[in-house]
Amino acid sequence: MTGNDRTDGGPIGPRLGVLIGDGIGPEIVPAAVAVADAAVAAAGAAPLEWHPLPIGASAIDENGTPTPAATLDALAALDGWVLGPHDSAAYPEPFRSQLNPSGTVRRHFGLYANIRPAVAFSGARAVVPGMDLVVVRENTEGFYADRNTVAGTGEFMPSPDVAIALGVFTRTAVRRIAVTAFELARRRRRRVTVVHKANVLRLTMGLFRDVCREVGRDYPDVAVDDLHIDAATVHLVRRGADFDVVVTENMFGDVLSDLAGELAGSLGTAPSLNTSDDRAMAQAAHGSAPDIAGRDVANPIAMMLSTAMLLEWLGDRRGDAVLRDAGYRVHAAVRSTVVRGITTPDLGGSTTTSGFTAAVVAELAAGG
Ligand code: ATP
């Protein structure tokens, strides 16, 4: 049902899964859904068809596992989905020690690219006010032991006092993440920074740096430089506004994108899209924030912008300019709401999650 007609004659939009998740998920995911619906209506696109599916702590209670096979099967038949955060550290054993829900979904669908923008908002406080970069994080290997082997994990303990972790780097995976980064740079300010630690991890990180450089030769219109991860953290703080696209391996990308998100204002504004060549999953870059869950203070911006990225990705794939426009409208409405001084506490304001969401929906309805 991905065509343009339904039996009653009206157009249908994408069929999207909605996975609420844990912690602040029940607050920020419905907020993102409400804003996406309002943007689609404002753009004149066909309505989105949402499919709620169980995941996380509630799925343990109801289905006996945090990532039910039925959820994965249902996702396979949809056009994309929105994944809320999970608090897998709080799950009872054996689930706490198993691959967490987002890792399971990323692995199941081969979502190899994690696209994480960090953009400062005018009108909100930021450590680096001019920041406008995208971290392109490799999502399937590196040192993340829960996803770098086909069976078992890349972490083991030969004795109680010795723990070993494997880092896996393959030409194929580095090449495809590098292509993602360079293609993205072409649609932005045409600059890619490769972040690695090839001075110490000469073979693994050396392969990462060299393959990224090789791919860069196919993009003579894109400027390339590279930084060691330690230097990259310094340069991000000191001159974060200079960066455009940062491509890096899994663990460095996880850390750098949190840093960049916070430097741009708040981790609560940092969206992400996980993609393969034919699937996409919207997921905020932050976690489930159990410390603020249930208090109506979480910033829903990251979840809203992640969902907007999904609409834009689907619009590009379908050649649907109206759907793409709906995504742009979410970005614009969030920005103008923040400019009006309406922000949650993490950005220095006193608006609630629900109050901010209502303001963005009103902005969209007003054509903003
Ligand atoms: P994970 O390992 O799942 O990524 P984490 O332990 O890194 O999670 P987060 O849940 O991302 O941690 O939270 C880190 C800090 O950022 C917490 O203090 C949290 O309250 C804050 N935070 C995260 N997301 C938001 C948000 N949407 N709005 C406001 N504060 C947030």
Side-chain angles (χ1 to χ4, degrees):
M1 244 173 79
T2 52
N4 292 320
D5 301 305
R6 61 184 185 201
T7 46
D8 65 4
I12 60 156
R15 302 172 72 224
L16 302 178
V18 53
L19 304 113
I20 296 283
D22 309 323
I24 57 175
E27 296 157 79
I28 62 171
V29 176
V33 168
V35 161
D37 282 340
V40 158
L48 303 168
E49 193 181 291
W50 296 103
H51 294 255
L53 294 165
I55 203 149
S58 63
I60 296 178
D61 295 341
E62 288 158 30
N63 306 74
T65 168
T67 321
T71 292
L72 296 174
D73 290 347
L75 292 177
L78 297 173
D79 298 314
W81 57 92
V82 175
L83 175 66
H86 54 73
D87 188 11
S88 44
Y91 296 168
E93 291 292 7
F95 308 113
R96 191 184 316 154
S97 304
Q98 294 171 352
L99 181 56
N100 64 42
S102 69
T104 304
V105 177
R106 287 174 183 176
R107 186 165 170 162
H108 185 80
F109 291 102
L111 303 174
Y112 64 82
N114 192 193
I115 315 291
R116 296 184 153 191
V119 184
F121 287 84
S122 45
R125 66 181 181 200
V127 180
V128 181
M131 184 172 273
D132 178 6
L133 61 78
V134 182
V135 175
V136 176
R137 166 191 175 192
E138 202 290 319
N139 225 0
T140 62
E141 46 182 37
F143 287 94
Y144 273 32
D146 61 0
R147 61 201 80 161
N148 67 8
T149 53
V150 169
T153 94
E155 224 186 0
F156 53 98
M157 286 184 88
S159 78
D161 301 318
V162 178
I164 297 175
L166 296 177
V168 176
F169 293 76
T170 63
R171 181 171 292 275
T172 305
V174 180
R175 170 160 271 280
R176 68 187 177 183
I177 200 68
V179 168
T180 302
F182 281 95
E183 288 290 332
L184 179 62
R186 271 200 171 147
R187 301 199 300 276
R188 291 176 47 90
R189 304 195 306 277
R190 293 175 183 262
R191 173 161 208 97
V192 169
T193 303
V194 183
V195 173
H196 58 85
K197 190 68 184 170
N199 54 334
V200 174
L201 295 162
R202 290 175 187 277
L203 299 180
T204 48
M205 296 278 179
L207 183 76
F208 188 90
R209 177 200 56 199
D210 294 346
V211 173
C212 286
R213 286 273 188 189
E214 264 168 48
V215 170
R217 287 200 273 281
D218 296 335
Y219 296 81
D221 51 319
V222 178
V224 196
D225 62 357
D226 66 272
L227 285 172
H228 296 145
I229 177 66
D230 39 352
T233 60
V234 174
H235 286 274
L236 269 185
V237 175
R238 191 183 286 165
R239 54 174 192 90
D242 294 348
F243 290 85
D244 181 16
V245 174
V246 175
V247 62
T248 190
E249 63 90 39
N250 205 341
M251 186 159 58
F252 291 168
D254 196 6
V255 176
L256 269 193
S257 56
D258 268 25
L259 173 64
E262 193 62 28
L263 290 174
S266 163
L267 186 51
T269 66
S272 93
L273 190 69
N274 296 266
T275 64
S276 66
D277 294 339
D278 57 3
R279 296 195 178 270
M281 167 172 88
Q283 180 188 21
H286 59 71
S288 62
D291 52 333
I292 57 168
R295 290 168 34 204
D296 202 20
V297 295
N299 192 338
I301 289 180
M303 202 69 248
M304 290 174 180
L305 299 186
S306 304
T307 308
M309 289 172 74
L310 176 60
L311 299 184
E312 288 159 32
W313 185 90
L314 285 166
D316 284 342
R317 271 180 68 80
R318 298 169 158 226
D320 183 343
V322 183
L323 190 55
R324 203 180 306 132
D325 179 49
Y328 296 155
R329 282 174 188 256
V330 173
H331 286 278
V334 165
R335 289 195 162 274
S336 52
T337 303
V338 171
V339 165
R340 282 163 52 215
I342 302 172
T343 61
T344 46
D346 55 308
L347 284 179
S350 57
T351 307
T352 57
T353 312
S354 45
F356 182 82
T357 305
V360 177
V361 168
E363 184 79 23
L364 285 161

